Amino acid sequence: METGGEAGGGKPEYSIIVPTYNERLNVAIIVYLIFKHLQDAKFEIIIVDDGSPDGTQDIVKQLQQVYGEERVLLRARPRKLGLGTAYVHGLKHASGDFVVIMDADLSHHPKYLPSFIRKQKLTGADIVTGTRYVNNGGVHGWNLMRKLTSRGANVLAQTLLRPGASDLTGSFRLYKRSVLEDVISSCVSKGYVFQMEMIVRATRKGYHIEEVPITFVDRVFGISKLGGSEIVGYLKGLVYLLLTT
């Protein structure tokens, strides 16, 4: 079966890493939307599932029957082992010269992927990151308290770390593969702090970062994995980066 994104076949140019945990209701939609919006690109999707008990892996195997196992790769792990290590695991199986990281819960809409690719080609950027905090960017589905918490955390990090990017905690990014391999090898954080450390380390290493405005949409299906422990971890990570970068 020929599907969008094959663009002449051959080695994929873009490897899209999507970590999952209990995303049975979302994973088929995100894969469909990636194929819909990247019909002219050579890409592969690497699903890194951390032993989801809800049947996420069964859905991915069905998607492989539709799109092909060479286009949708399932690289499962036995249990939850952290977001940063999920990217490392996916990177080991990536074939593309560029790597996209994005969430499976539909908060990162694949319609922005062509804008990421265009921005990288126009600027030669090492990293293109989606941002909620510039004109035409934003958040949909959050209450006022969560918006204030997110904005406050970002302003605090901007003030202390001066990272060279407007959205530190976002996880919708395109990297040159060699840059991702370099930056990720120097990161020690886990969970949500990992995204912040990635950008700060990249800035300190002198990599060229560009931004694309996105609207972050709160998950429709499933339960948010952000809680009080992640907020405490964020503050600890902020102090760590302040002292070590």
Side-chain angles (χ1 to χ4, degrees):
M1 175 180 178
E2 184 169 324
T3 56
E6 292 190 316
K11 177 179 175 291
E13 187 175 6
Y14 301 94
S15 297
I16 303 171
I17 300 176
V18 184
T20 58
Y21 183 76
N22 285 350
E23 297 291 357
R24 178 179 61 85
L25 296 176
N26 294 316
V27 68
I29 302 173
I30 198 74
V31 168
Y32 163 76
L33 289 172
I34 291 171
F35 274 91
K36 177 181 177 181
H37 290 284
L38 285 185
Q39 295 190 24
D40 297 324
K42 296 178 182 178
F43 68 88
E44 62 186 0
I45 304 171
I46 303 171
I47 307 293
V48 180
D49 185 74
D50 277 2
S52 296
D54 72 339
T56 296
Q57 292 185 30
D58 294 331
I59 300 298
V60 175
K61 290 173 183 177
Q62 293 179 40
L63 292 169
Q64 289 179 316
Q65 295 177 17
V66 176
Y67 296 105
E69 292 185 12
E70 76 286 355
R71 310 302 311 289
V72 178
L73 289 68
L74 175 60
R75 298 295 181 261
R77 304 192 296 176
R79 62 188 184 280
K80 293 186 72 173
L81 295 170
L83 191 60
T85 59
Y87 295 137
V88 172
H89 185 72
L91 189 56
K92 291 177 181 177
H93 301 281
S95 302
D97 294 325
F98 296 90
V99 177
V100 174
I101 60 174
M102 64 187 301
D103 293 346
D105 61 5
L106 306 178
S107 58
H108 300 152
H109 200 295
K111 69 181 180 182
Y112 296 111
L113 288 173
S115 297
F116 280 50
I117 292 172
R118 282 195 299 271
K119 175 70 77 171
Q120 194 285 321
K121 288 183 176 179
L122 283 172
T123 64
D126 298 308
I127 303 170
V128 178
T129 181
T131 177
R132 299 161 285 184
Y133 302 124
V134 297
N135 288 340
N136 298 319
V139 175
H140 178 76
W142 282 5
N143 60 32
L144 180 60
M145 181 56 67
R146 189 169 178 187
K147 287 181 179 179
L148 290 174
T149 300
S150 176
R151 175 66 80 171
N154 202 65
V155 168
L156 182 61
Q158 292 286 340
T159 302
L160 296 177
L161 300 175
R162 304 199 176 279
S166 64
D167 193 340
L168 276 180
T169 56
S171 55
F172 193 4
R173 296 173 184 162
L174 180 153
Y175 292 85
K176 288 182 179 177
R177 181 192 178 120
S178 59
V179 172
L180 179 57
E181 289 173 335
D182 179 36
V183 174
I184 208 169
S185 67
S186 63
C187 291
V188 300
S189 301
K190 297 180 180 180
Y192 293 89
V193 180
F194 178 79
Q195 304 295 354
M196 178 169 63
E197 183 175 6
M198 288 281 284
I199 285 293
V200 173
R201 298 286 183 196
T203 301
R204 301 296 188 267
K205 288 173 176 284
Y207 287 121
H208 178 188
I209 302 171
E210 291 283 344
E211 297 184 319
V212 169
I214 64 167
T215 297
F216 179 97
V217 179
D218 199 18
R219 63 164 55 244
V220 177
F221 300 114
I223 299 172
S224 174
K225 303 172 184 70
L226 178 63
S229 61
E230 283 76 18
I231 295 173
V232 172
Y234 172 85
L235 294 174
K236 289 181 178 178
L238 188 62
V239 172
Y240 167 76
L241 291 175
L242 181 63
L243 295 175
T244 62
T245 61

